[in-house]
Amino acid sequence: MQELINTRRRAGFVGRRDELAAFRANFDTRPEDPEHRFVFHVHGNAGVGKSSLVGELTRVARERQALTATVDESVSSVPEVMETLSRQFARQGRPLKALDRLLESYRRRRYEAESAASLAQPEQGPTAGSLAVAQAGLVGLGMVPAVGALAGAVDPAQLARGTDQVRATLGARFGKAEDVQLLRDPLQVLTPVLIAELDRVTADAPWIALFFDTYERTGPFLDTWLHDVIASGRYGSLPAHSVLTLSGQGTLDPNRWADCADLVTEFPLTSFTDSEARQLLTAKGVVAEEVVRNVLRLSGRLPVLVSTLAENAVRQGSSDDPSSTAVERFLKWEGDPVRRAAALDAALPRQLDEDTFTAALTADASRGDETALYGWLRTLPFVTGSGGIVRYHDVVRVPMLRLQRTTSPSRWRAAHNRLAESFARRRETAAAGMARWEQREHDPWWAERLEETYHLLCAEPRTALAQALADGPWACSNGGEAARRWARAIAEAGEACGDDTLRDWGGDCLAALQDERRGIEKLLSRLLSRAELDDQARADALMVRAECLSDAGMYDAAIADFDQSIDLVSDRPRPYTGRALIHRARGHYEEALEEHDRAVERRRHGVRSYWHRGETYRMADRHDEAIADFDRVLSIEPGHVWALVSRAQAAHSQGRSEAALADLELALNIKPDHIWSLVRRARIRHALGDTAGAWADLDRAKVLSPLNAWIVGERGESLRQEGRHEEAIAEYDRALELDPGYAWALGRRAMANEALGHQTQALADLERALALNPSDAWAATQRERIRADTP
């Protein structure tokens, strides 16, 4: 059916000849030719046919044997863009396997949440529950070295210190050593792999054509990254035979894209000319002059409306009512009352699959075969989509919503309540068997929850707002992309139901999230200003903001927020754990353990409180008590990988290396690609003299994460311990290229330089390490020792 639909649409495509000719001719010029363009930018108001033109450009690219992929507003983050590209290349027989593995690792780490938190080694990184900090909080609070628009805005020395502070604070709360870089700056890790994979799988393809449609929606989070991919070389170099097309309502940001003027061809689109509109009508069989004139008048020659009206005008002829809107005229021309009702009903959801379509149908539209009716709907020119999900064009959907809302408010409310109930059932199914806190970290649950919230707000904007706001802190805790989706649902509900409060509030939240420096913090602070929040929701917002502040090293402010959260709701373990982790980061283990005990007393389910307390015991060198807590965790969740890893670390500290290896073996049986376990096992194998086994683990870790500075540094350390100091220095150098603020690698490189008799270089490395982390007692001791030994 989709092939027939595409064939029909191609046959009816008219106009845009100049744009198609320019795009087609570009494939006849070699990338080295100064006339070749690497980027095309399609832009114009809603309804001028941008998406239709993008579809036609895609067909042209495929005619030239290009591998193609298209991204639209269904994505909310750059990692999701990469997933979309990868899926589409796989369907063309070119899977991006290395990228898929890394994306899977990224997804797992994000959603393991607190159960993988808080190993305090300096090389370890954040868990899922910290993604709001990793990509919005830490960046937003200025704690991460310059990224994109922040580059050059902060003193380099301050940034260098910030890198190590980030590592220290993340290490204090989050326990995934191999994920420090991946979760702190996923684009820096993922993008080079994407580019390398594109280069590999498309080496024998004449062209790669990537299309980014509805750029007005995706640009806020995509624009800086895409510009860097195209022009800066920050992540590597795209294959020269790549052609990218951006399509959106606005022009490109001149401040960002000024350096690309010679690379970009602009395609500004306006309404059809009279001749083009008449050509389309003729192609669709609309030839009666009265009908033609009426369509031209009603549509304003806007391509999407010309096409929509033309599909049905030939059936009924013209209406004499000059006040009818284009959508009303379309509905009048549809002679089948079931189809007419279905077209209106299907406009209510933001997007459709067949189940949603069926749930949207009223009694007037439910008398036929729903599957056949849905197939008919998909053929309409204003209905677009792929992968089983379709959506209406806004130019048609918005007036359809307005028509239904104003014609029968009671019918409007009933329809949206019915859809909300449908999505609530889907939400419950998506997270069956999960605890409440697990559901909030589960993407499928959130997807259904947001649609449920949207329809509740459309039905009863004032009464549903309080619950929608209560979801805000949890959206923020899941990261910037989740927060954007939540805010967009509120803003779009306000647009649909004509409620200024919803529209303005959602718009304000989206505007806050565009702030790269402090977006999540701003959004949480705005939430806390809302009178609609009850004590529970306010406590949630304070707790999530406290965690963001804590991960940024702003401990006093975080403690204040945790205290307020506890004053409002005192029976939850999570804020006590948050305070404990701050005490632990400051080295105050007794105070931390008191808070952990309070968290354990309030524990109702799960193992999070036990595991955090065990980690604090381990870091305080109270290994027996640590192991007792890890045993508790494993008695509840025998497959808890991080409890096995932590117990192994405690056992190794007690000198029980064989027991440690046994736990690491169990962990790797559960997760064979668990990088931290591989590297930790390599250390123990080295200590036991199993050099071959140690290097097998390190080689495996490098294959799994080739750009991980921690792994490269560990390889350097293994070489140093074997006395291969020059090779070790080369590895430390590479680790520092990947992460210039890696103080641990500087300190170990100093030891290798000292062993080679390079005391001056050793002292320079130690000075730099101490500048990054002034509290590093080991580095200070080594510096004083070398100074004393140097004549």
Side-chain angles (χ1 to χ4, degrees):
M1 183 175 69
Q2 192 63 45
E3 285 300 318
L4 292 173
I5 293 168
N6 291 336
T7 300
R8 184 181 305 176
R9 287 177 175 167
R10 286 197 296 270
F13 190 85
V14 301
R16 315 308 185 196
R17 297 185 183 277
D18 291 343
E19 289 83 0
L20 287 168
F23 189 77
R24 186 178 288 109
N26 196 58
F27 291 113
D28 295 327
T29 61
R30 295 176 59 82
E32 298 82 4
D33 190 322
E35 297 300 315
H36 181 79
R37 292 293 180 266
F38 297 101
V39 182
F40 290 85
H41 181 223
V42 179
H43 56 95
N45 293 331
V48 295
K50 298 183 297 295
S51 294
S52 295
L53 179 58
V54 166
E56 199 67 9
L57 297 177
T58 303
R59 183 182 66 81
V60 169
R62 289 172 179 166
E63 286 177 351
R64 297 305 182 95
Q65 307 305 310
L67 295 171
T68 65
T70 302
V71 172
D72 59 21
E73 76 274 16
S74 62
V75 301
S76 296
S77 69
V78 176
E80 285 189 20
V81 169
M82 297 186 196
E83 292 176 13
T84 299
L85 297 177
S86 182
R87 281 196 302 271
Q88 294 183 41
F89 275 97
R91 286 200 292 267
Q92 296 167 79
R94 307 294 178 95
L96 310 182
K97 294 181 180 179
L99 178 64
D100 289 340
R101 286 195 298 268
L102 198 55
L103 284 167
E104 175 60 26
S105 177
Y106 174 68
R107 287 190 294 268
R108 286 202 311 268
R109 273 45 175 178
R110 282 201 53 197
Y111 296 111
E112 284 172 353
E114 293 287 337
S115 64
S118 154
L119 290 178
Q121 304 304 316
E123 66 270 18
Q124 292 159 7
T127 62
S130 177
L131 195 68
V133 174
Q135 272 202 276
L138 288 177
V139 173
L141 295 171
M143 299 304 299
V144 174
V147 177
L150 300 180
V154 185
D155 176 69
Q158 182 182 357
L159 289 175
R161 289 192 296 273
T163 303
D164 207 58
Q165 185 175 358
V166 168
R167 180 179 291 109
T169 55
L170 290 178
R173 180 166 183 249
F174 300 101
K176 298 183 179 177
E178 75 277 14
D179 293 332
V180 172
Q181 194 172 6
L182 180 60
L183 286 180
R184 189 186 65 202
D185 190 359
L187 305 192
Q188 189 64 46
V189 177
L190 293 167
T191 311
V193 178
L194 167 67
I195 291 174
E197 284 289 87
L198 288 176
D199 195 46
R200 176 182 64 81
V201 304
T202 63
D204 58 347
W207 297 100
I208 308 169
L210 305 180
F211 298 88
F212 298 86
D213 200 7
T214 57
Y215 203 64
E216 70 274 8
R217 297 281 185 92
T218 59
F221 63 85
L222 195 55
D223 204 44
T224 298
W225 174 76
L226 201 52
H227 172 270
D228 287 345
V229 166
I230 293 168
S232 75
R234 176 184 173 196
Y235 303 113
S237 182
L238 275 174
H241 56 298
S242 303
V243 177
L244 287 79
T245 300
L246 317 182
S247 175
Q249 293 185 16
T251 58
L252 294 176
D253 182 348
N255 295 322
R256 182 168 295 129
W257 291 89
D259 60 336
C260 296
D262 60 329
L263 308 176
V264 180
T265 292
E266 298 284 352
F267 285 167
L269 301 187
T270 58
S271 295
F272 276 160
T273 65
D274 188 272
S275 174
E276 288 173 329
R278 286 176 175 272
Q279 180 186 352
L280 176 58
L281 291 171
T282 300
K284 292 183 177 293
V286 180
V287 295
E289 183 59 25
E290 180 185 359
V291 179
V292 169
R293 284 199 307 268
N294 215 19
V295 170
L296 295 179
R297 176 178 59 81
L298 287 169
S299 68
R301 301 194 308 276
L302 197 64
V304 68
L305 289 181
V306 174
S307 181
T308 297
L309 298 172
E311 288 286 331
N312 299 280
V314 73
R315 300 180 188 174
Q316 298 294 326
S318 177
S319 168
D320 295 328
D321 180 6
S323 66
S324 296
T325 66
V327 173
E328 289 170 317
R329 182 59 54 83
F330 156 66
L331 294 176
K332 288 178 181 178
W333 279 336
E334 176 51 64
D336 185 337
V338 172
R339 286 185 173 183
R340 184 181 186 277
L344 273 172
D345 293 341
L348 295 175
R350 295 194 293 173
Q351 60 185 27
L352 292 162
D353 57 20
E354 189 170 348
D355 290 340
T356 305
F357 173 73
T358 300
L361 295 179
T362 60
D364 292 341
S366 299
R367 295 195 296 269
D369 182 342
E370 283 83 0
T371 299
L373 202 57
Y374 185 59
W376 163 79
L377 187 83
R378 288 175 63 100
T379 68
L380 297 176
F382 57 82
V383 177
T384 60
S386 59
I389 303 295
V390 299
R391 52 183 57 84
Y392 277 34
H393 195 292
D394 284 345
V395 167
V396 173
R397 180 174 182 257
V398 169
M400 276 191 174
L401 295 177
R402 187 184 304 117
L403 178 67
Q404 295 181 80
R405 188 181 76 243
T406 56
T407 301
S408 177
S410 60
R411 182 184 175 99
W412 166 271
R413 285 192 295 273
H416 281 291
N417 280 323
R418 185 175 65 254
L419 281 161
E421 291 170 2
S422 173
F423 281 110
R425 290 191 295 270
R426 291 170 58 151
R427 169 174 56 83
E428 292 168 2
T429 300
M434 290 185 176
R436 185 165 177 259
W437 64 269
E438 291 177 304
Q439 294 173 353
R440 289 170 167 173
E441 295 165 358
H442 187 54
D443 239 5
W445 185 91
W446 265 109
E448 309 299 348
R449 175 64 165 178
L450 289 178
E451 298 311 310
E452 175 192 5
T453 299
Y454 169 82
H455 290 292
L456 288 172
L457 289 169
C458 287
E460 301 289 350
R462 299 308 166 90
T463 58
L465 180 57
Q467 182 55 54
L469 295 178
D471 285 341
W474 302 104
C476 289
S477 74
N478 287 339
E481 65 199 72
R484 274 192 294 273
R485 285 176 171 157
W486 170 80
R488 190 179 298 136
I490 295 175
E492 291 181 2
E495 290 285 354
C497 67
D499 187 281
D500 292 342
T501 299
L502 291 184
R503 181 174 55 244
D504 294 346
W505 169 251
D508 287 347
C509 292
L510 288 169
L513 290 167
Q514 290 185 33
D515 185 341
E516 293 184 58
R517 295 181 57 82
R518 304 181 63 185
I520 290 290
E521 181 199 5
K522 281 185 176 181
L523 179 49
L524 288 166
S525 297
R526 290 187 185 190
L527 270 171
L528 287 164
S529 72
R530 299 290 305 199
E532 296 93 337
L533 290 186
D534 61 17
D535 285 351
Q536 180 69 57
R538 193 169 298 279
D540 291 343
L542 286 163
M543 180 181 66
V544 174
R545 188 173 70 175
E547 290 172 347
C548 292
L549 294 168
S550 173
D551 294 323
M554 301 173 68
Y555 295 140
D556 291 339
I559 287 286
D561 273 358
F562 279 130
D563 290 347
Q564 289 186 62
S565 179
I566 289 170
D567 288 343
L568 289 168
V569 179
S570 61
D571 63 346
R572 296 183 302 173
R574 184 164 166 173
Y576 294 98
T577 297
R579 291 199 305 202
L581 297 178
I582 291 175
H583 290 311
R584 188 172 76 190
R586 288 170 160 169
H588 304 157
Y589 294 118
E590 290 306 316
E591 292 92 330
L593 288 167
E594 289 174 4
E595 296 286 3
H596 282 310
D597 289 343
R598 295 185 181 103
V600 168
E601 289 170 5
R602 290 159 176 80
R603 169 190 168 274
R604 291 187 291 273
H605 51 70
V607 298
R608 191 177 288 178
S609 300
Y610 285 135
W611 188 79
H612 279 295
R613 188 175 68 178
E615 274 300 291
T616 300
Y617 275 131
R618 183 186 65 78
M619 285 183 272
D621 293 328
R622 294 168 63 172
H623 298 299
D624 288 339
E625 292 156 297
I627 289 172
D629 267 345
F630 299 142
D631 287 344
R632 290 186 182 96
V633 172
L634 290 165
S635 69
I636 299 168
E637 291 186 21
H640 196 291
V641 169
W642 281 103
L644 289 166
V645 169
S646 297
R647 192 170 69 179
Q649 201 169 0
H652 184 56
S653 297
Q654 292 177 323
R656 297 187 297 114
S657 298
E658 294 300 331
L661 283 176
D663 273 345
L664 291 172
E665 291 287 349
L666 286 173
L668 286 165
N669 284 337
I670 297 168
K671 288 191 176 180
D673 292 343
H674 196 243
I675 295 175
W676 198 95
S677 294
L678 286 167
V679 175
R680 183 60 60 186
R681 188 171 68 176
R683 285 188 182 182
I684 297 175
R685 283 177 164 178
H686 257 300
L688 295 176
D690 181 9
T691 302
W695 278 107
D697 283 341
L698 290 173
D699 289 343
R700 174 64 178 155
K702 183 178 179 181
V703 168
L704 291 170
S705 187
L707 299 177
N708 189 315
W710 174 60
I711 293 172
V712 177
E714 287 291 329
R715 293 173 65 85
E717 182 66 2
S718 294
L719 290 166
R720 186 179 73 84
Q721 290 176 2
E722 294 175 19
R724 299 158 64 181
H725 299 296
E726 291 181 350
E727 295 172 82
I729 288 173
E731 289 289 78
Y732 293 135
D733 289 346
R734 183 165 175 264
L736 288 163
E737 287 175 4
L738 293 168
D739 184 354
Y742 195 175
W744 181 89
L746 284 166
R748 270 54 186 183
R749 188 172 71 179
M751 298 299 95
N753 273 314
E754 182 193 20
L756 293 172
H758 304 154
Q759 276 76 10
T760 301
Q761 291 95 320
L763 285 170
D765 278 345
L766 290 168
E767 292 287 357
R768 188 173 157 199
L770 285 165
L772 291 166
N773 186 8
S775 63
D776 188 342
W778 177 87
T781 300
Q782 299 305 317
R783 181 183 63 182
E784 296 311 310
R785 179 184 59 77
I786 295 175
R787 281 177 175 174
D789 292 343
T790 302

